[in-house]
């Protein structure tokens, strides 16, 4: 299993489903893009930013239920890619594993503060290597500048980089791979 960081969400085209972006922490620094639904993207983003709502959402509720039974989530593993669908497991302190959609597992894992891991076999078939022009493979994504003009320049540079990415860079996913895959 390869430790990954959740880099954020992206929408690659108007009216397209959001994509959850994971990046390998060390080594090749491969990226994994998993298409997810809008509500799931919101849950992951809220968990990533550690935003607490006045009332718990489903992800927070699941965490509270697990805690109330005296257990805790110890890991999240994206374990497989079959027929264009990603599979993940929530790993608990008792050794129990529960199958979950990657988006839900990652949101729960972020709330629990655990490592998100992806099977190397999944990365071999579904990851991409993205290099920022003029930077090495270990380059970090730039943060969002506070100035609106600078933000616009950053967006244009990002769009230019996306224009250079071909569908073949994303591996052999079936054409029907849509939200939740």
């Amino acid at each position: 299993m390869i430790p990954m960081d959740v880099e954020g969400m992206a929408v690659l085209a108007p009216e397209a489903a959001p994509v959850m972006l994971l990046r390998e922490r060390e080594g090749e620094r491969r990226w994994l893009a998993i298409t997810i639904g809008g509500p799931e993207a919101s849950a992951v983003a809220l968990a990533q930013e550690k935003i607490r709502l006045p009332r718990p959402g489903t992800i927070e509720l699941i965490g509270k239920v697990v805690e109330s039974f005296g257990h805790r989530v110890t890991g999240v593993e994206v374990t497989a890619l079959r027929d264009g669908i990603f599979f993940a497991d929530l790993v608990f302190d008792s050794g129990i594993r529960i199958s979950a959609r990657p988006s839900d597992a990652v949101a729960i894992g972020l709330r629990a503060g655990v490592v998100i891991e992806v099977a190397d076999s999944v990365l071999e078939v579904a990851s991409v290597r993205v290099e920022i022009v003029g930077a090495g493979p270990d380059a970090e994504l730039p943060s969002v500048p506070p100035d609106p003009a600078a933000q616009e320049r950053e967006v244009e540079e990002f769009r230019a980089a996306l224009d250079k990415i071909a569908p073949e860079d994303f591996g052999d996913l079936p054409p029907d791979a849509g939200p939740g895959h």
Side-chain angles (χ1 to χ4, degrees):
M1 298 303 287
I2 309 295
M4 306 288 282
D5 289 318
V6 179
E7 294 292 340
M9 301 297 126
V11 178
L12 301 177
E15 298 183 31
V19 175
M20 178 173 60
L21 299 170
L22 306 176
R23 188 175 188 197
E24 191 173 9
R25 283 190 179 171
E26 297 176 358
E28 298 177 54
R29 305 281 291 167
R30 295 169 288 186
W31 289 81
L32 182 64
I34 301 175
T35 302
I36 63 177
E40 293 82 5
S42 294
V44 171
L46 288 171
Q48 185 178 25
E49 296 298 322
K50 298 178 178 28
I51 295 171
R52 299 274 180 210
L53 300 174
R55 295 183 44 91
T58 304
I59 298 302
E60 295 81 17
L61 178 63
I62 290 169
K64 290 184 182 296
V65 169
V66 168
E67 286 176 18
S68 73
F69 285 108
H71 293 284
R72 62 185 180 85
V73 174
T74 58
V76 169
E77 298 178 359
V78 177
T79 58
L81 173 63
R82 292 188 297 272
D83 299 322
I85 299 171
F86 288 93
F87 292 81
D89 285 345
L90 285 170
V91 182
F92 293 89
D93 56 349
S94 61
I96 292 173
R97 301 172 72 87
I98 297 178
S99 181
R101 295 182 303 183
S103 54
D104 295 333
V106 166
I108 291 167
L110 287 169
R111 289 284 186 200
V114 301
V115 175
I116 312 298
E117 296 179 302
V118 176
D120 191 50
S121 60
V122 171
L123 289 172
E124 286 299 317
V125 297
S127 69
V128 295
R129 289 166 181 82
V130 176
E131 289 191 32
I132 299 170
V133 177
D138 291 329
E140 297 299 320
L141 288 177
S143 59
V144 177
D147 173 39
Q151 287 178 11
E152 185 60 32
R153 282 191 303 277
E154 292 283 338
V155 168
E156 290 304 318
E157 289 174 18
F158 184 66
R159 284 185 181 147
L162 285 177
D163 287 341
K164 295 177 184 175
I165 297 174
E168 299 81 39
D169 295 335
F170 291 97
D172 294 328
L173 294 179
D176 62 339
H181 290 67

